[in-house]
Amino acid sequence: MRFASPKDELASKLAIAGRAASAKSTIQILSHVLLRAEDGRCELAATDMEISLRVPLEMTVEEPGAVVLPRLAGDIVRSMADGPITLEHRANEGVVSLSGGGSSFSLNCLQAHDFPELPADEGTGLVIPAEPLVEAIDRVARAASRDETRPVLTGVLVRIGPDGLTMVATDSYRLAVRQTALDAPPADVREAIVPARALSEVSRLVGVMKADAVEVVLSETQALFRIGDLRLTSRLIEGQFPDHRQLVPDTFEHDVAFERSELLGVLTRIGVLAQRNTPVRLAFEPGSVTISAISDQIGEGHESIPVSFTGEPLEMGFNVEFLRAGVESIGGDEVRLGLISPLRPGLLRGASDDYRYLLMPIRLNA
């Protein structure tokens, strides 16, 4: 094969496709990028067997063909002088040549016929405006677990139906729920557990491509996201996702309103002391709350702010990073915290109920 492509086009598309290549797999070809130019279509593709990316590439093809490039090729192209880059590979040979701007490189490569078969780009899905989709992903996916011993919790429950788009994630310490109304919701319901990493990539690619909408196709075994001319496919996670409707309490003893930016500022300052397993303490009394942290190694700090709290004093402990992440995810200027008791979870929400963030407390020592 032989083709020419503008340097910036080739470098940027190699960088995008390389996001799906594996950085850990012992299977060498999974850390590479497939380049295919045939049937009038040119594309780059990569997969780590969990997610796959297909990225169209603008090029002038002199001889069609296919080759598997090392991911390092993207760095090399990016370092070359501006202008067209020519790539040449002879079938069944283990070397590919790159030249342009007075530079030339010969790189070891792999054969296209050894590359894993990519998921089919099939099916018609639901077109969702990019902005609310990305907002839902960014506010929910952060609550997914990173513990691979519990695969279901590393995913996000995605439900598309007559009531719109619902996303749910939990790591068993916190739970985030986002409900988004759709202008033309489907009549039937499709539900799947999508890896949080795949959804985070969708969010990032929407920004890179400046896409206005994303087509979402949920099948029995995979999720397909069409983002402009890009195709991201992810395997689905099998298992039973926790029922968030049973986890979120219906009523609370206290419903405390905070000014969002003020609460974030206090948590940021006091959170410096709340390292590792040190909880941040919220001590409520009529008219105020004192937020504090005590570290045996560093010291202690506290700050009080006025709030609309009434009743008997109440003290609770939370993981400060989880609490701050929940406050950051709330839209608007006001954050409301629903409380029941020191050992029951607290619920963060904004002026509307389209986003809820449930957080388990930490038992405080006397």
Side-chain angles (χ1 to χ4, degrees):
M1 72 179 298
R2 179 183 172 87
F3 76 86
S5 176
K7 174 223 171 173
D8 290 343
E9 165 74 2
L10 183 57
S12 64
K13 295 300 178 60
L14 279 168
I16 292 173
R19 297 278 299 185
S22 174
K24 301 178 181 178
S25 177
T26 57
I27 303 175
Q28 184 185 19
I29 204 165
L30 295 183
S31 64
H32 287 49
V33 176
L34 172 67
L35 169 60
R36 190 184 302 277
E38 58 186 18
D39 300 328
R41 177 178 174 83
C42 305
E43 72 172 13
L44 295 162
T47 181
D48 61 2
M49 304 308 288
E50 178 180 276
I51 69 171
S52 303
L53 263 176
R54 294 172 179 262
V55 185
L57 178 66
E58 294 182 10
M59 63 171 76
T60 301
V61 180
E62 298 179 21
E63 295 179 23
V67 66
V68 181
L69 304 172
R71 194 158 61 171
L72 181 67
D75 296 330
I76 291 175
V77 171
R78 190 163 50 250
S79 70
M80 296 173 73
D82 292 339
I85 303 296
T86 299
L87 183 148
E88 187 171 6
H89 172 252
R90 294 181 180 177
N92 299 319
E93 290 191 358
V95 175
V96 62
S97 65
L98 289 169
S99 60
S103 302
S104 62
F105 297 87
S106 294
L107 305 178
N108 295 333
C109 63
L110 300 176
Q111 301 304 310
H113 57 72
D114 293 326
F115 199 82
E117 183 177 354
L118 294 166
D121 178 10
E122 297 177 343
T124 301
L126 182 68
V127 177
I128 301 176
E131 184 176 352
L133 178 65
V134 167
E135 184 180 1
I137 292 171
D138 292 348
R139 295 169 74 179
V140 170
R142 63 171 63 189
S145 176
R146 293 178 177 82
D147 184 359
E148 296 293 339
T149 63
R150 303 183 67 185
V152 167
L153 299 189
T154 65
V156 175
L157 178 68
V158 178
R159 184 182 188 275
I160 302 175
D163 56 349
L165 169 68
T166 302
M167 289 190 179
V168 187
T170 180
D171 59 5
S172 76
Y173 300 104
R174 52 183 172 160
L175 179 144
V177 182
R178 168 72 173 182
Q179 293 179 307
T180 303
L182 299 175
D183 291 335
D188 60 339
V189 175
R190 174 64 69 181
E191 193 171 274
I193 305 174
V194 183
R197 175 185 165 228
L199 290 174
S200 295
E201 279 300 309
V202 170
S203 174
R204 190 188 68 84
L205 289 170
V206 166
V208 170
M209 301 301 295
K210 296 180 174 57
D212 296 324
V214 177
E215 184 178 3
V216 182
V217 184
L218 299 180
S219 69
E220 295 299 324
T221 59
Q222 70 178 31
L224 169 63
F225 300 89
R226 297 188 176 110
I227 309 164
D229 292 332
L230 270 66
R231 304 291 184 266
L232 184 147
T233 307
S234 171
R235 67 171 181 83
L236 300 181
I237 300 175
E238 297 181 355
Q240 185 67 39
F241 199 86
D243 188 348
H244 68 278
R245 292 164 294 189
Q246 295 182 356
L247 296 174
V248 179
D250 293 327
T251 60
F252 295 89
E253 294 294 327
H254 304 281
D255 186 19
V256 186
F258 294 86
E259 202 276 315
R260 180 177 177 273
S261 61
E262 181 180 38
L263 180 57
L264 275 177
V266 175
L267 291 175
T268 298
R269 292 187 289 272
I270 299 300
V272 174
L273 297 177
Q275 299 180 353
R276 294 187 179 180
N277 297 323
T278 303
V280 63
R281 297 169 177 254
L282 278 67
F284 294 91
E285 57 184 30
S288 70
V289 60
T290 298
I291 301 175
S292 63
I294 302 173
S295 170
D296 294 336
Q297 289 76 31
I298 302 175
E300 62 181 87
H302 58 85
E303 186 170 342
S304 297
I305 55 177
V307 294
S308 56
F309 181 87
T310 60
E312 294 296 319
L314 173 66
E315 186 174 25
M316 299 189 69
F318 293 105
N319 177 299
V320 69
E321 293 302 325
F322 290 174
L323 179 57
R324 183 163 52 201
V327 176
E328 288 174 345
S329 298
I330 301 296
D333 298 328
E334 183 181 81
V335 174
R336 305 195 74 89
L337 175 59
L339 301 171
I340 299 175
S341 73
L343 300 181
R344 297 287 300 277
L347 181 69
L348 288 167
R349 63 196 188 284
S352 65
D353 287 335
D354 57 2
Y355 180 79
R356 288 162 290 165
Y357 186 93
L358 192 71
L359 181 60
M360 293 296 296
I362 296 175
R363 185 185 295 271
L364 296 173
N365 296 325

